[in-house]
Amino acid sequence: MSSTTASRTAVPAMRPAAPAPACAAARPGGGAGPSLAHLGPNWFASVMGTGIVANAAATLPLRFPGLRTAATVVWAVAALLLAALTVAWAVQWVRHRDAVRGHCAHPVMSQFYGAPPMALMTIGAGTLLLGRDVIGQGAAVAVDWVLWLAGTALGLLVAFTVPYRMITRHRMAPDAAFGGWLMPVVPPMVSAAMGGLLIAHTPAGQLRLTMMLACVAMFGISLIAAFVIINMIYSRLVHHDMPAAGSVPTLWIVLGPLGQSVTAAGLLANAAPSALPGPYAQGMQVFALVFGVVTWGFAMLWLALALAVTVRTARRTGLPFNLTWWGFTFPVGTCVTGTTGLAARTGAEVFTWAAVALYALLLAAWAVTAVRTARGALSGTLFLAPAAAPAAAPTAAPAR
């Protein structure tokens, strides 16, 4: 899909996440065979979803026998998956550059370039929370710093580049907004949250202060952008037809910036006393509680809406599997970590049990999605070329 500075790409008036972003529509008897050429950045969502299962378990307010050991095993699996996908992605960039350029230019697939930086930081945080039991505290801190810095740099690049290309190269149809639009702008929020864990490992003085302020600034970058996009998604839902079945799981992505912002506010408030003067550190404590509870309330409303729409779609038309199903995992995981932080801050048992209930939902979603992904990977169907735009999208917005 090409464009020039004089005109912007015409994007079909379609429900955009079905099935193009998943690269998962198997076409029996036709199309190219399995190939790394079709490995999209959305594959890194599997690392995010698996890693958050481990990270959320490490901080869960209730302790269960064997939970930390199981979480450490899941973290190791996620780390190996990240390594394998990183190697495969590097090979793709060398051998299949046309495919990579196609992903970058695609108005849907390009949104999922937010997944690799978040995958890096998720595994980095897991290394600090769980991997230290295996490799030691010093090595865990070093690994986390490397992955956080790489993820933050890549995430900030994506947060600028993808929206810029949307503004200058694509003209989106009125019903084009979907949960995937949040993927490029959420990485800075993950940087803010995971950076909160690293502030204590930053030298005191100006470096620690700079780290703190940088995390707060990235919190703002992601939060305000996410609010703008969530408004677009809600408007699309109430003004247009129901989303296509393949894109329904992306509604759950809205929970990502909500839950992660609650998590980030709490972690930054925890780190504030060592980085900010007294009044500002106290202000961060107040902000973490008030903002956290308010945002958590809206997140639970959205969770109920997303669940209701998902069940309705599954009953009426079915819910075809594709990689967007990983949207059922990481966003819910951020709600677990955010709820855990509120439980610790308030001492309210309602948040403790809510965190446990959300974690049970996360485990169920992860188990189903992981099994379906493994089957698709082993059969090769998840490595086929993306299907063409759905036939139900006959019109296109004019280029300009």
Side-chain angles (χ1 to χ4, degrees):
M1 184 176 295
S2 63
S3 61
T4 68
T5 56
S7 65
R8 295 163 67 178
T9 304
V11 177
M14 64 182 180
R15 292 142 185 96
C23 294
R27 294 173 290 175
S35 169
L36 287 181
H38 310 305
L39 182 76
N42 50 343
W43 267 94
F44 285 86
S46 63
V47 178
M48 297 164 56
T50 304
I52 200 70
V53 169
N55 296 357
T59 59
L60 208 61
L62 293 182
R63 300 286 88 194
F64 300 96
L67 180 63
R68 186 172 181 86
T69 300
T72 303
V73 172
V74 174
W75 161 78
V77 170
L80 291 174
L81 182 59
L82 173 64
L85 285 176
T86 300
V87 171
W89 208 31
V91 171
Q92 183 193 49
W93 277 73
V94 172
R95 297 185 178 179
H96 306 285
R97 292 186 182 180
D98 288 343
V100 173
R101 284 192 287 267
H103 290 161
C104 292
H106 197 284
V108 173
M109 182 62 79
S110 61
Q111 308 297 326
F112 292 90
Y113 274 99
M118 289 191 281
L120 290 171
M121 290 183 284
T122 299
I123 299 305
T127 303
L128 189 59
L129 294 170
L130 296 162
R132 65 189 182 191
D133 297 341
V134 179
I135 64 176
Q137 178 76 10
V141 171
V143 170
D144 192 15
W145 268 117
V146 170
L147 294 180
W148 184 85
L149 289 170
T152 296
L154 182 57
L156 289 173
L157 178 64
V158 169
F160 167 78
T161 303
V162 174
Y164 176 76
R165 291 177 69 91
M166 292 173 69
I167 293 168
T168 60
R169 300 199 177 192
H170 304 307
R171 182 172 182 177
M172 299 298 179
D175 65 344
F178 77 115
W181 282 13
L182 288 163
M183 292 292 288
V185 302
V186 175
M189 185 64 76
V190 179
S191 293
M194 303 302 100
L197 295 174
L198 285 169
I199 289 174
H201 302 284
T202 305
Q206 285 296 315
L207 284 177
R208 184 174 296 180
L209 176 61
T210 300
M211 179 69 172
M212 181 74 189
L213 295 177
C215 289
V216 174
M218 289 187 287
F219 178 95
I221 290 172
S222 186
L223 182 68
I224 296 174
F227 281 164
V228 171
I229 295 170
I230 291 171
N231 178 63
M232 294 180 183
I233 295 169
Y234 185 81
S235 178
R236 179 258 175 270
L237 290 174
V238 300
H239 288 114
H240 299 279
D241 294 338
M242 284 284 292
S247 69
V248 164
T250 67
L251 292 177
W252 293 66
I253 297 176
V254 173
L255 295 172
L258 298 175
Q260 194 71 296
S261 65
V262 176
T263 303
L267 292 174
L268 291 175
N270 292 342
S274 68
L276 296 175
Y280 302 106
Q282 293 172 5
M284 289 290 293
Q285 303 290 334
V286 174
F287 175 77
L289 176 59
V290 176
F291 172 84
V293 174
V294 169
T295 305
W296 185 88
F298 179 69
M300 294 304 100
L301 171 62
W302 193 275
L303 173 60
L305 289 171
L307 180 60
V309 171
T310 302
V311 171
R312 180 182 185 273
T313 302
R315 287 179 174 177
R316 292 196 172 192
T317 64
L319 201 64
F321 175 74
N322 57 51
L323 289 180
T324 61
W325 277 38
W326 284 100
F328 295 136
T329 58
F330 185 81
V332 174
T334 67
C335 291
V336 176
T337 57
T339 306
T340 295
L342 290 175
R345 190 165 300 281
T346 64
E349 291 188 1
V350 64
F351 286 126
T352 297
W353 290 108
V356 173
L358 288 168
Y359 189 71
L361 176 62
L362 170 63
L363 280 180
W366 175 78
V368 173
T369 305
V371 169
R372 297 293 296 272
T373 302
R375 289 177 180 173
L378 291 174
S379 67
T381 58
L382 288 181
F383 297 103
L384 295 177
T395 61
R400 67 181 183 187

